[in-house]
Amino acid sequence: MISKLILIALGPVLAFVLPFAHGGPNDIEVQLDDGTKQILKKIGCYKDKPFPNRALRDLYHNHRWDIDWSQWPDMTHVISACASWAKRKNYNDKFGVQFYGECWADADSSRFNDHGLATNCINGVGEHWSNFVYSMKGVCPPLKMNLVFLIDNSGSINDTEFDNFKEFAKKLAESFTISATYTHVAAVYFNTLANFGFNLKYDINVIKTAIDNLPNIGGGTHIGKALTYTLDNVFKVAPRQNVKNVLVVLTDGKSHDSVTLPAAAVRNYGPGVEVFAVGVGAGDSFVAQLNVIASDPDEDHVFHVEHFSQIESTTGAVEDEICKDTVHRTQEGHRTPDIEHRTKYFEHRISDTGQRT
Ligand SMILES: *[C@@H]1O[C@H](CO)[C@@H](O)[C@H](O)[C@H]1NC(C)=O
């Protein structure tokens, strides 16, 4: 009773604090069966395969016989049950909901994307052979960060596809605490040349409008030149030099110029720029180029999808990586070195579209 009264008294305070503490587009809140609340980050819909190639290998709880179908399409009670049991079984990172009510996890939670993105999830749960994956780590803390987008608008990208890049950028920007103290956002777009979209800003509405206003121009794909431009005109002149620096490169094509040295120069600037490469395309050389651009380990920094329409569904995973790395950096001063250097990227079998430029 007393604690309830305290809660009521604190209500106005919490109401003020909580919107600040969460509400990102990738977060949902569930109630666990011990009565506590848990924020989950939606990581997205990923393929699974039969034994011995299961992505998340442990069916730690099966809720299929307890699904209350009268609540469909609201599957929150299933997601809550999987989250409750994950906590009980000490799976504190990721779990997946498969076949409407199976709860899967793994001691090596990075396996969740071993088989790439899937499209057959519905209402927050996987159907046959797909996991809808959640992260238990919850809200990303407010980060002092310069978050910079480098967006390809070369000739191979039509307006619908360019809109997919914009939606991705807006949703990822919105995932963080945008303010003078915390995250600032800038965008550069490139084709044969690189140009400012806008320099570092910290008003989310202004940022979203500025992203919407980025022009789709067309031309070649000079990623190397664009990386150098971004280093010189954004990172080197940023008002805040000692905050986390993140560059997210969005592209659909192979660069016409070399990316190796320009990308290394960006990554090694100052205290370091963490570089993510998000690519839509096919072919080993395309993936190899994303790996050259991105920070190591590639499996955490390269996000490779088959279709433009899938890009937006990777924002939860990218947000999760940006937050994870911050925790590592602040706790240990560097990334944990023991992560395997395997390139894990999302499904990339494209038969007919081939290489884009
Ligand atoms: C752009 O290309 C996609 C296929 O990648 C197609 O579905 C879409 O209709 C095209 N949009 C425009 C405006 O041409």
Side-chain angles (χ1 to χ4, degrees), residues 150-155 188-195 219-230 249 251 253-259 262 289 293 357:
L150 182 52
I151 306 180
D152 187 341
N153 67 6
S154 61
V188 172
Y189 61 91
F190 70 96
N191 35 70
T192 312
L193 304 169
N195 286 289
T221 305
H222 286 76
I223 303 179
K225 202 192 281 181
L227 287 163
T228 304
Y229 179 94
T230 307
V249 180
T251 183
K254 278 230 55 201
S255 185
H256 294 155
D257 62 356
S258 172
V259 297
Q289 179 192 265
I293 293 171
T357 54

Coordinates of all heavy atoms in Angstrom, one line a residue, residues 150-155 188-195 219-230 249 251 253-259 262 289 293 357:
L150 N 26.0 8.9 -44.4 CA 26.6 9.2 -45.7 C 25.7 8.4 -46.7 O 25.7 7.1 -46.7 CB 28.0 8.7 -45.7 CG 28.8 8.9 -47.0 CD1 28.7 10.3 -47.5 CD2 30.3 8.5 -46.8
I151 N 24.9 9.1 -47.5 CA 23.8 8.4 -48.2 C 24.1 8.5 -49.7 O 24.2 9.6 -50.3 CB 22.5 9.1 -47.9 CG1 22.2 9.1 -46.4 CG2 21.3 8.4 -48.6 CD1 20.9 9.8 -45.9
D152 N 24.1 7.3 -50.3 CA 24.3 7.2 -51.8 C 23.0 7.6 -52.5 O 21.9 7.2 -52.2 CB 24.5 5.7 -52.0 CG 24.9 5.3 -53.4 OD1 24.7 6.1 -54.3 OD2 25.4 4.2 -53.6
N153 N 23.2 8.6 -53.4 CA 22.1 8.9 -54.3 C 22.5 8.8 -55.8 O 22.2 9.7 -56.6 CB 21.3 10.1 -53.9 CG 22.1 11.4 -54.1 OD1 23.3 11.4 -54.6 ND2 21.6 12.5 -53.7
S154 N 23.3 7.8 -56.1 CA 23.8 7.6 -57.4 C 22.7 7.2 -58.4 O 21.5 7.0 -57.9 CB 24.9 6.6 -57.5 OG 24.4 5.4 -57.0
G155 N 23.0 7.1 -59.6 CA 21.9 6.9 -60.7 C 21.1 5.6 -60.6 O 20.0 5.6 -61.1
V188 N 25.4 13.6 -45.2 CA 26.1 14.0 -46.5 C 25.5 13.0 -47.5 O 25.3 11.8 -47.2 CB 27.6 13.8 -46.4 CG1 28.3 13.9 -47.7 CG2 28.2 14.7 -45.3
Y189 N 25.3 13.5 -48.7 CA 24.8 12.6 -49.8 C 25.9 12.7 -50.9 O 26.6 13.6 -51.0 CB 23.4 12.9 -50.3 CG 23.3 14.3 -50.9 CD1 23.4 14.5 -52.2 CD2 22.9 15.4 -50.1 CE1 23.3 15.8 -52.8 CE2 22.7 16.6 -50.7 CZ 22.9 16.8 -52.0 OH 22.8 18.1 -52.5
F190 N 25.9 11.6 -51.6 CA 27.0 11.5 -52.6 C 26.6 10.8 -53.9 O 25.7 9.9 -53.8 CB 28.3 10.9 -52.0 CG 28.1 9.4 -51.8 CD1 28.6 8.5 -52.7 CD2 27.5 8.9 -50.6 CE1 28.4 7.1 -52.5 CE2 27.4 7.6 -50.4 CZ 27.8 6.7 -51.3
N191 N 27.2 11.1 -54.9 CA 27.1 10.4 -56.2 C 28.5 10.4 -56.8 O 29.5 9.9 -56.2 CB 26.0 10.9 -57.1 CG 25.9 12.4 -57.0 OD1 26.8 13.2 -57.4 ND2 24.9 12.9 -56.3
T192 N 28.7 11.2 -57.9 CA 30.1 11.4 -58.3 C 30.8 12.4 -57.4 O 32.0 12.3 -57.1 CB 30.1 12.0 -59.7 OG1 29.2 11.1 -60.5 CG2 31.5 11.9 -60.4
L193 N 30.0 13.3 -56.9 CA 30.5 14.3 -55.9 C 29.8 14.1 -54.5 O 28.8 13.4 -54.5 CB 30.1 15.7 -56.4 CG 30.6 16.1 -57.7 CD1 29.9 17.4 -58.2 CD2 32.1 16.2 -57.8
A194 N 30.4 14.6 -53.5 CA 29.8 14.6 -52.2 C 29.2 16.0 -51.9 O 29.9 17.0 -52.2 CB 30.8 14.1 -51.1
N195 N 28.1 16.0 -51.2 CA 27.5 17.3 -50.8 C 26.9 17.3 -49.5 O 26.4 16.2 -49.0 CB 26.3 17.7 -51.8 CG 26.8 18.1 -53.1 OD1 27.4 19.2 -53.3 ND2 26.7 17.2 -54.1
G219 N 24.0 9.9 -60.8 CA 25.4 10.1 -61.1 C 26.2 8.8 -60.7 O 25.6 7.8 -60.4
G220 N 27.5 9.0 -60.6 CA 28.3 7.8 -60.3 C 28.3 7.5 -58.8 O 27.7 8.2 -58.0
T221 N 29.2 6.5 -58.4 CA 29.3 6.1 -57.0 C 30.7 6.3 -56.5 O 31.5 5.4 -56.7 CB 28.8 4.7 -56.8 OG1 27.5 4.5 -57.4 CG2 28.8 4.3 -55.4
H222 N 31.0 7.4 -56.0 CA 32.4 7.7 -55.5 C 32.4 7.7 -54.0 O 32.4 8.8 -53.4 CB 33.0 9.0 -56.1 CG 33.3 8.8 -57.6 ND1 32.4 8.8 -58.6 CD2 34.5 8.6 -58.2 CE1 33.0 8.7 -59.8 NE2 34.3 8.5 -59.5
I223 N 32.5 6.5 -53.4 CA 32.4 6.4 -52.0 C 33.7 6.9 -51.3 O 33.6 7.5 -50.3 CB 32.1 5.0 -51.5 CG1 30.8 4.5 -52.2 CG2 31.9 4.8 -50.0 CD1 30.3 3.1 -51.9
G224 N 34.8 6.6 -51.9 CA 36.1 7.0 -51.3 C 36.1 8.5 -51.2 O 36.4 9.1 -50.1
K225 N 35.8 9.2 -52.2 CA 35.8 10.7 -52.2 C 34.8 11.2 -51.1 O 35.0 12.1 -50.4 CB 35.3 11.2 -53.6 CG 35.8 12.6 -53.9 CD 35.1 13.2 -55.1 CE 35.7 12.7 -56.4 NZ 35.0 13.2 -57.6
A226 N 33.6 10.5 -51.1 CA 32.6 10.9 -50.1 C 33.0 10.7 -48.7 O 32.7 11.5 -47.8 CB 31.3 10.2 -50.4
L227 N 33.8 9.7 -48.4 CA 34.3 9.4 -47.1 C 35.3 10.5 -46.7 O 35.2 11.0 -45.6 CB 35.0 8.0 -47.0 CG 34.1 6.8 -47.0 CD1 34.9 5.6 -47.4 CD2 33.4 6.6 -45.7
T228 N 36.2 10.9 -47.6 CA 37.1 12.0 -47.3 C 36.4 13.3 -47.1 O 36.8 14.0 -46.1 CB 38.1 12.1 -48.5 OG1 38.7 10.8 -48.7 CG2 39.2 13.1 -48.2
Y229 N 35.4 13.6 -47.9 CA 34.6 14.8 -47.7 C 34.0 14.8 -46.3 O 34.0 15.9 -45.6 CB 33.6 14.8 -48.8 CG 32.7 16.1 -48.7 CD1 32.9 17.2 -49.5 CD2 31.5 16.1 -47.9 CE1 32.1 18.3 -49.5 CE2 30.7 17.2 -47.9 CZ 31.0 18.3 -48.6 OH 30.2 19.4 -48.6
T230 N 33.4 13.7 -45.9 CA 32.7 13.7 -44.6 C 33.7 13.8 -43.5 O 33.5 14.5 -42.5 CB 32.0 12.3 -44.5 OG1 31.2 12.1 -45.6 CG2 31.2 12.3 -43.2
V249 N 27.1 4.4 -43.4 CA 27.1 4.5 -44.9 C 26.0 3.7 -45.5 O 25.9 2.5 -45.2 CB 28.5 4.0 -45.4 CG1 28.6 4.2 -46.9 CG2 29.7 4.8 -44.8
T251 N 24.5 2.5 -49.0 CA 24.8 2.4 -50.5 C 24.2 1.2 -51.1 O 23.8 0.2 -50.5 CB 26.3 2.3 -50.7 OG1 26.6 2.4 -52.1 CG2 26.9 1.1 -50.1
G253 N 25.8 0.3 -54.2 CA 26.6 0.0 -55.4 C 28.1 -0.1 -55.1 O 28.5 0.2 -54.0
K254 N 28.8 -0.6 -56.0 CA 30.3 -0.7 -55.9 C 30.8 0.7 -56.2 O 30.4 1.3 -57.2 CB 30.8 -1.7 -56.9 CG 30.8 -3.1 -56.3 CD 32.1 -3.9 -56.4 CE 33.3 -3.3 -55.7 NZ 34.5 -3.9 -56.3
S255 N 31.8 1.0 -55.4 CA 32.4 2.4 -55.6 C 33.3 2.4 -56.9 O 33.9 1.4 -57.2 CB 33.3 2.7 -54.4 OG 33.8 4.0 -54.5
H256 N 33.2 3.6 -57.6 CA 34.1 3.8 -58.7 C 35.5 4.1 -58.3 O 36.4 4.1 -59.1 CB 33.5 4.9 -59.6 CG 32.2 4.5 -60.2 ND1 31.2 5.4 -60.6 CD2 31.6 3.3 -60.5 CE1 30.2 4.8 -61.1 NE2 30.4 3.5 -61.0
D257 N 35.7 4.6 -57.1 CA 37.0 4.9 -56.6 C 37.3 4.0 -55.4 O 36.4 3.3 -54.9 CB 37.2 6.4 -56.3 CG 36.3 6.8 -55.2 OD1 35.4 6.0 -54.7 OD2 36.4 8.0 -54.8
S258 N 38.6 3.9 -55.0 CA 39.0 3.0 -53.9 C 38.5 3.6 -52.6 O 38.6 4.8 -52.3 CB 40.5 2.9 -53.9 OG 40.9 2.2 -52.8
V259 N 38.0 2.7 -51.8 CA 37.5 3.1 -50.4 C 38.5 2.8 -49.3 O 38.4 3.2 -48.2 CB 36.2 2.4 -50.1 CG1 35.1 2.8 -51.1 CG2 36.3 0.9 -50.1
P262 N 40.6 6.0 -47.7 CA 39.6 6.9 -47.1 C 38.8 6.4 -45.9 O 38.6 7.1 -44.9 CB 38.7 7.3 -48.3 CG 39.5 7.0 -49.5 CD 40.4 5.8 -49.2
Q289 N 33.5 -5.0 -50.2 CA 33.6 -3.6 -50.1 C 33.0 -3.0 -48.9 O 33.5 -2.2 -48.2 CB 33.1 -2.9 -51.4 CG 33.2 -1.4 -51.3 CD 32.4 -0.7 -52.4 OE1 32.9 -0.4 -53.5 NE2 31.1 -0.6 -52.1
I293 N 34.9 -0.9 -45.8 CA 34.4 0.4 -45.3 C 34.2 0.3 -43.8 O 34.6 1.2 -43.0 CB 33.1 0.8 -46.0 CG1 33.4 1.1 -47.5 CG2 32.5 2.0 -45.3 CD1 32.1 1.3 -48.3
T357 N 25.7 -0.1 -59.7 CA 26.7 0.9 -59.6 C 26.2 2.3 -59.4 O 25.0 2.5 -59.7 CB 27.7 1.0 -60.8 OG1 26.9 1.2 -62.0 CG2 28.5 -0.3 -60.9

